[in-house]
Amino acid sequence: DQQVKQNSPSLSVQEGRISILNCDYTNSMFDYFLWYKKYPAEGPTFLISISSIKDKNEDGRFTVFLNKSAKHLSLHIVPSQPGDSAVYFCAASVSDSWGKLQFGAGTQVVVTP
Amino acid sequence: GAGVSQSPSNKVTEKGKDVELRCDPISGHTALYWYRQSLGQGLEFLIYFQGNSAPDKSGLPSDRFSAERTGGSVSTLTIQRTQQEDSAVYLCASSLRSRGLGQPQHFGDGTRLSIL
């Protein structure tokens, strides 16, 4: 069963605008969430994470929001840049377990000039 | 280099052959994970190692898959009698620790395995 879902397979956004990527999860035991970015033929690169004790975490142009009651998180990228064009994966884990990550299927972001 | 290193980067083999994939984690990282990504899919957890504890093999899809981690560092994922459905990108990741407060996992570039 797919415990982490990214329902938008692709997103196109204009350079300078905000990119909003969404992720839903079903397992209420998840308490640690991460976003990864992946370029073709490379491994995923860690972007930002959030613990369930917070509802927002910000790092430069990237902000992750967590809504535990809705089991929903989102990643905001502002302003979007052409180098942000990549596949973005949402992942979740139960931090009191051994940390294995459950991944969503990914969202392909294309930033146009 | 300072990152997770995987070899080979590409492997093409015939159905029924055995393959070995290698992972060198980041120095000092005690936790090591294997995932695979099939075409158009997200990453699927396979197995992880944490220090000297018994590995969690719960994600291995069949008994044709096995993995070892020697000396708490390098890991080898072995697939015996390969099948076409084993074709995927196999990714290795490592982290400082895996229990308690979350620690991000850092990934290698993967091994692209193609079974003919």
Side-chain angles (χ1 to χ4, degrees):
Chain A
D1 63 336
Q2 192 76 9
Q3 298 186 51
V4 179
K5 299 178 184 178
Q6 294 175 257
N7 292 320
S8 297
S10 63
L11 173 69
S12 183
V13 63
Q14 207 167 19
E15 182 178 1
R17 302 288 188 122
I18 184 171
S19 295
I20 300 177
L21 292 84
N22 293 302
C23 178
D24 297 291
Y25 60 95
T26 57
N27 187 346
S28 58
M29 297 296 291
F30 287 146
D31 58 2
Y32 182 56
F33 305 89
L34 309 90
W35 285 93
Y36 284 84
K37 172 181 178 179
K38 187 180 184 303
Y39 294 118
E42 293 184 10
T45 302
F46 169 70
L47 269 180
I48 192 169
S49 64
I50 189 167
S51 162
S52 60
I53 62 173
K54 294 185 175 182
D55 55 17
K56 177 182 175 181
N57 189 24
E58 191 171 355
D59 184 0
R61 296 186 298 114
F62 302 93
T63 303
V64 56
F65 296 91
L66 175 63
N67 182 335
K68 285 180 300 225
S69 61
K71 295 192 180 69
H72 177 84
L73 67 156
S74 61
L75 174 68
H76 292 205
I77 308 172
V78 55
S80 299
Q81 299 173 354
D84 296 332
S85 297
V87 177
Y88 290 78
F89 290 99
C90 170
S93 73
V94 180
S95 61
D96 198 33
S97 72
W98 290 105
K100 58 189 178 187
L101 296 175
Q102 298 278 349
F103 281 85
T107 297
Q108 172 76 60
V109 172
V110 175
V111 180
T112 57
Chain B
V4 177
S5 178
Q6 291 188 246
S7 60
S9 54
N10 285 283
K11 177 73 176 178
V12 181
T13 192
E14 293 179 348
K15 176 182 171 182
K17 301 285 189 183
D18 297 352
V19 295
E20 283 190 354
L21 312 179
R22 177 187 166 101
C23 173
D24 281 281
I26 293 171
S27 178
H29 281 193
T30 57
L32 185 148
Y33 307 79
W34 283 98
Y35 295 83
R36 74 175 175 181
Q37 184 182 17
S38 301
L39 192 62
Q41 305 294 315
L43 280 72
E44 172 191 6
F45 167 79
L46 296 176
I47 185 172
Y48 84 83
F49 299 86
Q50 168 62 38
N52 295 322
S53 301
D56 179 343
K57 305 178 182 181
S58 60
L60 294 179
S62 79
D63 59 8
R64 296 186 295 105
F65 288 72
S66 62
E68 289 184 340
R69 189 178 185 192
T70 54
S73 181
V74 171
S75 177
T76 302
L77 177 69
T78 301
I79 309 173
Q80 296 178 309
R81 304 180 304 281
T82 51
Q83 303 294 313
Q84 287 186 330
E85 62 263 28
D86 299 335
S87 296
V89 177
Y90 288 81
L91 290 152
C92 176
S94 69
S95 69
L96 279 172
R97 66 177 185 273
S98 62
R99 194 159 194 170
L101 286 178
Q103 291 286 337
Q105 296 174 22
H106 299 272
F107 284 82
D109 287 340
T111 294
R112 181 173 297 278
L113 177 63
S114 300
I115 310 300
L116 302 179

